[in-house]
Amino acid sequence: MLSKQILFNSFSQSTFSPQDRSAQSWIVILGFLLLIATCYFGGAASLLRLVFPATSLLVAIFLYLRHPILYIGFTWWIWFLTPLLTRLVDYRVGWDPTRQMLIAPYLVVFVTIATLFKHLPNAIRQGGLPFILGAIGVFYGFLIGLIFNQPVPVIRGFLDWLSPIIFAFHLFMNWRDYPSYRQHFQRVFIWCVLITGAYGVYQFVAAPEWDKFWLIESKMFTSAGDPVAFGMRVWSTLHSPGPFGTVMQTGLLLLFTSTGPLIFPASAVGYLSFLLSQVRTSWGGWLLGIILIFGSVKTKIQLRLITIILVMAMCVVPLVTIEPISKVVTTRLESFSNLEKDGSFKDRSETYDRNLNLALTTVLGNGLGNIWKVNEKTGQIEVIVIDSGILDMFFTLGWFGAIPYITGLVLMLVSVSRYTEGRFDSFVSAARAISISSCAQLIIYSGMLSVAGMIMWGFLAMAMAAHKYYQHQGMKM
């Protein structure tokens, strides 16, 4: 029996060693990429509308079980790149009004529902109360939505609202692996800034045909610019300028916590495309993030930040002075000094004036799916835009859902604001700055949904995980 046990242990260690798991995981990821490329270039691009979401889910399950760190990176890249792949497929085989490929990121995230079920019995005791409160608010909105709204928009809204919460809960519950998660976050977002920033500049200069096709078919040219070179508001590989601005704001703030040869080329294309996105909300969020980081780190790190900012300015400012980039950026910056005449600002002000009292008196809420409608002629799901996360919460969740949801966010914000680990761990400071600036933008942007919600909830969770990790390390010492 002893010899059999030794043989079994030896087999288990060789089969499930970290090196083997990493090699197997990369083989699976490369196989996934090869399959996508084969379908697209092999004349079967239309199959990707089903194959891509399905295989994304399968790869996510494999990575979640075998290589959790790579699962995190895979999830972020699916969010970053799926919209571009969708546009490429649409351009090749025709417009798809159902946008079914865009479900892939949600399927990948929903793998973490296993973490929620696994740790739910002990979640509150381990500090997961804010996530539970947020999920309660969303489930309430889901039930109300099933009563008042059509099923497809309700499910779509459920994915948007719940995905960030369960992903963040997964990050928090794996606090013991915080150092490796931190390193992976930094690596992923450095490459994200470099790749999406470079494509964003290319998009502005060259106006690729697939991007122009999407702009026309989606009728987003009213807010995302004209489908011509030098006429687009950059959205890079994302699906609109707003989400791109949020992702780039996050990546650029994280660059201050990273080192390596990619930092400055990533900064050059990152800041240039960030400015060309013309998303003033994200510009303001980036500035607030810089202030929060600068005020929470040691003097040594402050001096390093000042040096980095100066070097980055030297790289970016000469590029911004080139026409027509200069005209686009300058015009948008000048709008800050004349907000009372700015159309976007006036629309948001009117939205608040018209809807604030109505939202606050919606006790039961309209339920998830209330900002989505199905066009009976085309079958396409269309969005009723509400330019305010606060209004969106009360319209959708009502008081019964909004109170636990907002309470969860407030508990997290209060907690991370008190953490002192940012004094010696600049990632904690950056994560706190990113999450607080994201929450501040809820006033004028529904930043708790989709990829923006992934960032807001995810970085709050990373800050909380860091605090718990350092607390545990202190107790061990």
Side-chain angles (χ1 to χ4, degrees), residues 306-468:
I306 293 173
T307 303
I308 293 174
I309 291 172
L310 291 175
V311 174
M312 288 179 178
M314 292 172 62
C315 295
V316 176
V317 170
L319 297 175
V320 176
T321 59
I322 301 172
E323 290 292 348
I325 296 175
S326 176
K327 182 179 179 180
V328 171
V329 175
T330 302
T331 302
R332 197 64 170 169
L333 287 171
E334 288 176 347
S335 66
F336 280 108
S337 62
N338 199 18
L339 287 176
E340 66 276 3
K341 294 183 179 180
D342 180 73
S344 178
F345 179 79
K346 291 195 324 188
D347 289 343
R348 284 185 167 89
S349 297
E350 290 173 2
T351 297
Y352 263 97
D353 292 340
R354 185 172 58 252
N355 294 318
L356 182 58
N357 288 333
L358 180 61
L360 294 178
T361 54
T362 308
V363 178
L364 292 178
N366 297 314
L368 300 183
N370 76 97
I371 65 166
W372 303 85
K373 63 179 181 179
V374 178
N375 189 311
E376 296 180 356
K377 294 182 179 180
T378 64
Q380 180 177 353
I381 298 178
E382 299 176 349
V383 185
I384 303 172
V385 178
I386 301 177
D387 284 327
S388 166
I390 304 299
L391 293 180
D392 199 352
M393 287 180 196
F394 282 97
F395 270 128
T396 301
L397 306 180
W399 280 93
F400 291 108
I403 287 177
Y405 188 90
I406 293 174
T407 300
L409 281 178
V410 170
L411 287 175
M412 297 173 82
L413 286 171
V414 171
S415 296
V416 302
S417 297
R418 294 174 175 174
Y419 295 160
T420 59
E421 288 82 3
R423 300 293 293 177
F424 58 86
D425 185 342
S426 58
F427 181 87
V428 176
S429 181
R432 176 170 52 198
I434 290 166
S435 54
I436 291 176
S437 62
S438 295
C439 289
Q441 293 174 54
L442 291 177
I443 299 173
I444 53 177
Y445 174 53
S446 294
M448 65 285 186
L449 308 178
S450 191
V451 69
M454 291 282 291
I455 287 171
M456 183 182 76
W457 281 90
F459 279 90
L460 279 168
M462 285 298 289
M464 293 173 64
H467 177 69
K468 193 164 186 177

Side-chain angles (χ1 to χ4, degrees), residues 212-226:
K212 291 195 291 186
F213 179 76
W214 175 84
L215 199 57
I216 294 169
E217 293 294 332
S218 66
K219 297 179 175 58
M220 285 288 290
F221 50 80
T222 56
S223 60
D226 300 319

Side-chain angles (χ1 to χ4, degrees), residues 8 60 76 100 188 193-194 297-298 308 312 373 403 445:
F8 175 78
W76 282 119
Q100 59 184 324
V188 165
V193 171
L194 180 63
V297 295
K298 293 181 178 179
I308 293 174
M312 288 179 178
K373 63 179 181 179
I403 287 177
Y445 174 53

Side-chain angles (χ1 to χ4, degrees), residues 44-344:
S46 60
L47 291 178
L48 285 175
R49 287 174 175 160
L50 293 175
V51 170
F52 179 71
T55 53
S56 296
L57 175 60
L58 292 176
V59 173
I61 293 172
F62 179 87
L63 295 176
Y64 176 86
L65 296 173
R66 297 300 297 273
H67 205 304
I69 298 297
L70 284 182
Y71 165 75
I72 299 299
F74 181 77
T75 300
W76 282 119
W77 282 112
I78 290 294
W79 278 102
F80 299 153
L81 299 179
T82 296
L84 175 60
L85 180 61
T86 303
R87 297 198 294 271
L88 289 168
V89 172
D90 284 349
Y91 178 68
R92 175 155 292 196
V93 300
W95 177 254
D96 176 22
T98 65
R99 319 305 291 145
Q100 59 184 324
M101 284 183 67
L102 295 179
I103 199 175
Y106 300 102
L107 294 178
V108 170
V109 170
F110 255 72
V111 173
T112 59
I113 200 78
T115 304
L116 180 64
F117 290 148
K118 178 181 178 181
H119 294 283
L120 188 59
N122 300 316
I124 295 178
R125 183 175 58 83
Q126 296 185 46
L129 177 62
F131 306 99
I132 303 303
L133 289 173
I136 288 173
V138 173
F139 274 107
Y140 170 81
F142 176 69
L143 295 176
I144 296 296
L146 290 177
I147 297 173
F148 293 114
N149 304 313
Q150 298 180 53
V152 173
V154 170
I155 294 172
R156 179 69 172 81
F158 183 70
L159 295 173
D160 257 341
W161 282 82
L162 190 62
S163 295
I165 297 175
I166 61 174
F167 182 73
F169 182 77
H170 173 75
L171 295 175
F172 173 69
M173 295 309 297
N174 286 280
W175 58 267
R176 291 178 179 82
D177 297 317
Y178 164 72
S180 55
Y181 276 56
R182 173 187 61 193
Q183 183 182 32
H184 202 63
F185 262 65
Q186 290 171 321
R187 185 184 303 119
V188 165
F189 275 90
I190 287 175
W191 280 104
C192 170
V193 171
L194 180 63
I195 293 173
T196 63
Y199 183 83
V201 175
Y202 167 74
Q203 182 182 65
F204 180 76
V205 173
E209 292 298 323
W210 47 87
D211 288 336
K212 291 195 291 186
F213 179 76
W214 175 84
L215 199 57
I216 294 169
E217 293 294 332
S218 66
K219 297 179 175 58
M220 285 288 290
F221 50 80
T222 56
S223 60
D226 300 319
V228 295
F230 303 106
M232 295 181 178
R233 289 179 60 188
V234 165
W235 67 90
S236 188
T237 63
L238 279 296
H239 58 76
S240 65
F244 172 67
T246 301
V247 170
M248 192 56 64
Q249 168 196 330
T250 302
L252 292 173
L253 289 174
L254 274 186
L255 288 184
F256 292 115
T257 72
S258 307
T259 57
L262 295 178
I263 298 299
F264 292 111
S267 297
V269 294
Y271 279 105
L272 185 56
S273 62
F274 186 50
L275 291 171
L276 291 173
S277 70
Q278 304 178 52
V279 182
R280 293 174 301 185
T281 303
S282 295
W283 293 355
W286 175 86
L287 182 60
L288 175 60
I290 288 292
I291 295 171
L292 291 172
I293 293 174
F294 195 81
S296 62
V297 295
K298 293 181 178 179
T299 304
K300 181 180 178 180
I301 301 178
Q302 288 178 340
L303 294 174
R304 178 174 172 266
L305 290 177
I306 293 173
T307 303
I308 293 174
I309 291 172
L310 291 175
V311 174
M312 288 179 178
M314 292 172 62
C315 295
V316 176
V317 170
L319 297 175
V320 176
T321 59
I322 301 172
E323 290 292 348
I325 296 175
S326 176
K327 182 179 179 180
V328 171
V329 175
T330 302
T331 302
R332 197 64 170 169
L333 287 171
E334 288 176 347
S335 66
F336 280 108
S337 62
N338 199 18
L339 287 176
E340 66 276 3
K341 294 183 179 180
D342 180 73
S344 178

